Amino acid sequence: MYILKVESSFDSAHFLAGHQGKCRNIHGHSWKVVAEVESASLVSEGESRGMVVDFSQLKKDMRQSVGFYDHALLVETGTLRKTTMEHLVNDGFRIIEVGFRTTAENFAKFFYDALSDKGYEVTRVSVFETPSNCAVYEGKR
């Protein structure tokens, strides 16, 4: 089995509504996303001959998925009052609402699905909130 690994990153803020610890407050991370894709065979013809996929294409697809979240406040839908959201947007803040709690675990699954939807055979996606803390999502084996 051939496995390719690529990394991308984004900086954003988030908070965990309902959390009893300090993560209930808005705070930021330099998130690192590491994706691994696999293939039992290599491309046999053309400019990608001898490759699983051209790294430049895989990195481009990864950046499209991950880069969208850079320099934004990530908010789980429904966790801020409507007026709070309106004030933040009116004050020029970039807010991205997502339909899940903004944990590293959920982002690992989210990016796994995003790359899978682009046709990659994804093995696993790791999302680091800090250099020493990460969550990993692996597909079914």
Side-chain angles (χ1 to χ4, degrees):
M1 189 63 62
Y2 299 96
I3 298 175
L4 301 183
K5 186 187 294 190
V6 293
E7 293 183 12
S8 192
S9 62
F10 65 102
D11 297 318
S12 68
H14 77 137
F15 64 95
L16 299 178
H19 190 272
Q20 296 306 306
K22 59 186 178 180
C23 291
R24 73 179 175 271
N25 294 304
I26 295 174
H27 61 284
H29 293 289
S30 290
W31 306 79
K32 180 171 82 169
V33 181
V34 180
E36 298 178 36
V37 300
E38 67 182 24
S39 178
S41 61
L42 301 176
V43 175
S44 60
E45 298 178 1
E47 68 179 84
S48 296
R49 184 171 53 87
M51 301 177 186
V52 170
V53 64
D54 191 318
F55 270 113
S56 64
Q57 183 62 50
L58 178 57
K59 290 189 302 186
K60 177 183 172 191
D61 289 337
M62 178 83 149
R63 278 192 306 271
Q64 284 177 338
S65 296
V66 172
F68 175 73
Y69 297 92
D70 193 43
H71 282 77
L73 172 58
L74 308 178
V75 177
E76 178 185 6
T77 302
T79 59
L80 287 178
R81 289 178 289 186
K82 182 180 177 190
T83 55
T84 301
M85 288 288 287
E86 289 170 355
H87 288 296
L88 288 169
V89 170
N90 288 338
D91 284 342
F93 289 97
R94 183 165 180 257
I95 311 295
I96 299 174
E97 283 189 280
V98 295
F100 53 85
R101 196 168 198 209
T102 58
T103 62
E105 293 89 341
N106 283 329
F107 272 113
K109 171 79 162 71
F110 178 81
F111 292 127
Y112 178 100
D113 290 344
L115 285 173
S116 294
D117 289 347
K118 292 179 183 271
Y120 292 102
E121 292 294 323
V122 184
T123 304
R124 75 183 49 85
V125 171
S126 303
V127 174
F128 290 78
E129 278 191 346
T130 69
S132 57
N133 297 320
C134 85
V136 177
Y137 183 84
E138 290 186 346
K140 297 179 181 129
R141 292 229 173 243

